[in-house]
Amino acid sequence: MSTLSAKNFENPQFVIATFVIVAVVGILSIVYYFMHDSENELYKVAFVIILCFGMMSSLIVPIVDVSDELEHLTRAEITSQGVAFPHWEGGVNNLTRLYNHTSEGKYSTALNKDVGFNTSESHMFFLQNREKTVFETPGDTDKISQSTILDGSAFEQNPFYGYLPQAIGVFLAKLFDMNVIWMLWLGRIFNLISYAALISLAIKKAPVLKVPLLAVACIPLSIYQAASVSIDSMIIGLGILSIAYFLYMYKADKKSLDTKHVALFCGLSLLLGLCKLPYLAFVFLILLVPRDNFKNENIMRYMLLGVLIVAFAGLLWSTYSEPALMHSWRSKLNYMDPALQVEYLINNPMAILHFLRMIFTYTLGITVNGLFNFFAAGSANHYSDQYTLITIFLWIFLALTLLFYPNKGKFNLKARVGSLLILLMIYVGTCFIQLLTWADVGSTNIGVSARYFLPLFALLPIIVPFRIKKLDEFKGSYDKYAMIFIIGFMATLILAFATKYY
């Protein structure tokens, strides 16, 4: 009710139909949960509810309306051609930037023509119909174009495996000669299936904190990103899976682990970190696992070797990914210069203190306030929908589930402090990278959003030692109520989209 506006009363049919569908799916999801009400079967529930509500989100959210979704779709289409590393076409002059740097204004207007990446000409349909629903454009029934064009941005800096699920969807849409809209819809749906599988595997693997992990995976913003063609789906999914595998190792029996577990965890951390470099710090979680859980007495040297390999691979990847940013619309940002920004910070130490104060006040507020706050591509309302009532209820639920979850298991001081330091490394590191690659020189307009930090929420139950004794006594019932609220918030997500967009 709190999301309704006057336009919904003028044409209530779609909202009413959505409410009926969501109510039926919600009730069936709750029934399905009670049919599998055990920790051993919770992973099945996770897969089903993420798929059900995510599927609705993938179809109801307007055309490429998610953050940078048009560019993600371009990369998915290129990957569907079997191209793992997009090839930059520099034109006859072998140009290396989409925009040439100019000294006037915040944004360069010196656009280079005939440069970019080869992609389907159907890209133009999505470009011309951003933010529209399928009811607002007749072009969604056109066939996918067989011709190609050059598009200037294709997330070249991201690893190809982050787009494999989306690429499968786009490939099938082209293979079966479907209408153009199915490039987006099947891309979203296959990305969602991949996310649901990663989360289901994480819930199955985690020996403790299954409900808190699922709560993070089902935060409305998580589902919104998972049901798009964005690589954020892979980042959130791999992030939660990495934490689940850490919990598995931490709670393992003594002398039950060996070097293959170290290798697997370091591999997971690397896959995650290449998608978003600050998350390479997740590899340090391996150092928090009790050493007597391993058979090998010299396991520490293998842990340190794994950390070094991951760090070196991340460093190598950064040398490839950072220059690739200029092969995109990001090269138009005249005000952004990493070298000058670092020089400014060195010469103005107080600016560093201002940056730290800002990220732990204003930026932190944006993050917490953005958990039920959704993107609108290209509009003036970037992340500006204030669903205050829902957000407050979501805060209360997440605080109880992540900070004070009953009987969440014991973690020693090393694990709690280490997890906190890793969280801070990723949070500050992400903000600092944004400071170098987004903010004006001498300014702190870092442009972060809540979606950057969603996997970090899953570390909170490990970090926070506090408990509410009454909740401990309430443990058996708490999980049941928590699952109903998780399903309820996902249902609210779909209803909010129906009232916002239709």
Side-chain angles (χ1 to χ4, degrees), residues 32-71:
Y32 183 77
Y33 165 66
F34 281 105
M35 290 170 61
H36 300 83
D37 181 18
S38 73
E39 290 201 340
N40 292 332
E41 291 194 295
L42 187 60
Y43 73 95
K44 298 178 183 177
V45 179
F47 186 82
V48 169
I49 63 174
I50 289 173
L51 213 55
C52 286
F53 290 98
M55 194 81 72
M56 286 188 279
S57 179
S58 67
L59 298 176
I60 198 173
V61 171
I63 297 166
V64 291
D65 192 71
V66 181
S67 175
D68 296 322
E69 193 171 21
L70 179 61
E71 189 176 357

Side-chain angles (χ1 to χ4, degrees), residues 306-321:
V307 171
L308 288 174
I309 291 173
V310 170
F312 182 69
L315 182 63
L316 280 180
W317 183 258
S318 68
T319 62
Y320 162 77
S321 61

Side-chain angles (χ1 to χ4, degrees), residues 39 42 199 202-217 240 243-244 246-248 250-251 400-411 416 419 457-464 467 475 478-479 486:
E39 290 201 340
L42 187 60
I199 299 304
I203 301 303
K204 184 176 183 180
K205 199 68 178 176
V208 294
L209 302 179
K210 292 177 182 285
V211 170
L213 290 179
L214 184 57
V216 174
I240 292 174
I243 293 171
F246 163 70
L247 292 171
Y248 163 76
Y250 189 88
K251 294 295 183 180
L400 290 173
T401 305
L402 301 181
L403 303 182
F404 306 110
Y405 184 69
N407 299 318
K408 58 185 176 183
K410 292 182 179 180
F411 297 93
R416 293 203 304 270
S419 298
F457 284 86
L459 287 175
L460 293 178
I462 301 172
I463 296 169
V464 177
R467 295 189 173 190
K475 204 281 178 184
Y478 185 86
D479 283 358
I486 288 170

Side-chain angles (χ1 to χ4, degrees), residues 88-106:
W88 168 260
E89 298 287 351
V92 293
N93 296 317
N94 198 26
L95 300 171
T96 59
R97 295 171 64 106
L98 182 61
Y99 285 84
N100 291 323
H101 185 77
T102 58
S103 58
E104 297 179 2
K106 294 188 67 174

Side-chain angles (χ1 to χ4, degrees), residues 390-434:
I390 302 169
T391 303
I392 290 173
F393 281 124
L394 186 58
W395 287 343
I396 295 170
F397 169 72
L398 290 176
L400 290 173
T401 305
L402 301 181
L403 303 182
F404 306 110
Y405 184 69
N407 299 318
K408 58 185 176 183
K410 292 182 179 180
F411 297 93
N412 60 29
L413 184 61
K414 177 183 174 183
R416 293 203 304 270
V417 174
S419 298
L420 176 60
L421 290 175
I422 290 167
L423 182 150
L424 291 174
M425 286 172 62
I426 296 171
Y427 179 73
V428 175
T430 301
C431 293
F432 185 70
I433 289 174
Q434 287 292 112

